Amino acid sequence: LIEMMIVVVLIGVFATLSTGGFDKFIQRQKLKTEGRDLISNLRLTRSYAVARKDQYGIYFDANNNQYLLFKDLVNPSSYTYDYGDSVIKTESIADNLYLSWTFPNNVVIYLPNGSASSSGQVYLYHMGIYESLTADVLGSTGRARLTQGYGG
């Protein structure tokens, strides 16, 4: 009986210790998933611009912790998101994750030749585990890639 109680206590101790590590693993996976989704949406927006020979962009909205994919209809030469631009898709960021970016006007615009309006980064932070990912966009080619931490 004593051996059985010791085994039960040990199982309880191991379960308690592993829960913290498992939670951090789940949070890290959530961050990676959001990072991959962000890169996929940047590449999708670029593909729209090239295939449809028009300007498409992503507007980053810090107030609502989301970003919008849109067709740049209203004032294409300003490289901004304006009322009247056609929203294709809205992506909300998961809890405990936050966005920041270096793009002017809170937007990256892809041109019909595949290039971007400017080079810049989008930072995705996970406040629960204090880790981040960076999506780098090269203006001259529009290429987007995901790196661990700040910058690549």
Side-chain angles (χ1 to χ4, degrees):
L1 184 63
I2 291 181
E3 291 92 5
M4 192 95 135
M5 289 179 63
I6 291 173
V7 169
V8 169
V9 168
L10 287 175
I11 289 173
V13 169
F14 287 133
T16 303
L17 292 176
S18 66
T19 302
F22 185 70
D23 184 50
K24 190 170 182 177
F25 170 78
I26 294 296
Q27 299 304 318
R28 188 174 289 121
Q29 292 306 314
K30 186 185 289 188
L31 175 64
K32 288 179 181 179
T33 298
E34 289 286 348
R36 285 190 295 268
D37 289 349
L38 174 61
I39 287 294
S40 292
N41 283 311
L42 285 163
R43 290 174 179 164
L44 176 64
T45 305
R46 183 180 182 273
S47 294
Y48 281 158
V50 171
R52 298 175 182 173
K53 298 186 184 348
D54 215 338
Q55 287 185 194
Y56 285 79
I58 294 183
Y59 170 72
F60 301 100
D61 181 358
N63 294 332
N64 296 308
N65 208 31
Q66 66 183 10
Y67 55 94
L68 312 172
L69 282 69
F70 68 95
K71 183 175 182 181
D72 195 7
L73 298 172
V74 175
N75 193 1
S77 62
S78 69
Y79 301 135
T80 58
Y81 171 71
D82 299 304
Y83 179 76
D85 284 338
S86 178
V87 175
I88 298 166
K89 182 177 176 182
T90 301
E91 289 287 327
S92 295
I93 302 302
D95 293 337
N96 286 334
L97 298 176
Y98 300 95
L99 286 172
S100 67
W101 50 88
T102 62
F103 294 105
N105 303 317
N106 303 333
V107 70
V108 56
I109 300 287
Y110 286 98
L111 307 174
N113 66 4
S115 65
S117 55
S118 67
S119 293
Q121 290 81 33
V122 182
Y123 304 107
L124 189 58
Y125 305 100
H126 193 298
M127 300 308 286
I129 57 174
Y130 304 105
E131 291 186 17
S132 65
L133 296 174
T134 301
D136 291 301
V137 176
L138 183 60
S140 60
T141 63
R143 178 178 177 248
R145 68 184 179 114
L146 191 64
T147 57
Q148 189 75 30
Y150 301 103

